[in-house]
């Protein structure tokens, strides 16, 4: 499901959770992982970093980039979410 162009022009978020899931599926795996761990499961950055065996700064970068990609896709109605 693409975001309805009129909604995108007004800067509205997707209307359904299905659209949000579609956007999430387009994110690179590393971005989906950190959003799931930190955003949904409540891991702090340090715990997520230990679990994924990467530096905390990497987790911070990935969370920032993932959120930015989602935000742009929701506002702009992009068909593909960039890495």
């Amino acid at each position: 499901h693409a975001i309805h162009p009129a909604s995108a022009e007004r800067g509205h978020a997707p209307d359904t959770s299905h659209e949000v899931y579609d956007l999430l599926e387009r994110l690179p795996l590393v971005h989906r992982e950190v959003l799931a761990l930190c955003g949904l499961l409540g891991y702090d950055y340090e715990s997520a970093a230990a679990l994924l065996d990467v530096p905390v700064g990497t987790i911070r970068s990935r969370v920032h980039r993932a959120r930015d990609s989602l935000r742009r896709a929701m506002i702009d109605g992009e068909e593909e979410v960039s890495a």
Side-chain angles (χ1 to χ4, degrees):
H1 287 264
I3 298 172
H4 189 276
S7 294
E9 288 173 13
R10 292 190 305 263
H12 291 166
D15 294 326
T16 66
S17 61
H18 183 70
E19 290 173 331
V20 173
Y21 287 120
D22 285 348
L23 293 173
L24 286 170
E25 287 176 355
R26 295 183 198 148
L27 287 175
L29 177 60
V30 295
H31 291 168
R32 290 193 313 262
E33 285 175 335
V34 295
L35 287 179
L37 290 173
C38 299
L40 299 174
L41 299 175
Y43 282 73
D44 60 28
Y45 290 173
E46 292 77 15
S47 298
L51 184 67
L52 296 175
D53 196 28
V54 297
V56 174
T58 299
I59 297 296
R60 292 181 194 281
S61 299
R62 289 177 183 175
V63 167
H64 175 77
R65 288 186 184 126
R67 288 178 178 165
D68 188 53
S69 292
L70 282 177
R71 185 178 306 109
R72 281 186 283 115
M74 292 170 74
I75 292 171
D76 298 337
E78 295 175 352
E79 287 297 317
E80 293 295 322
V81 178
S82 60

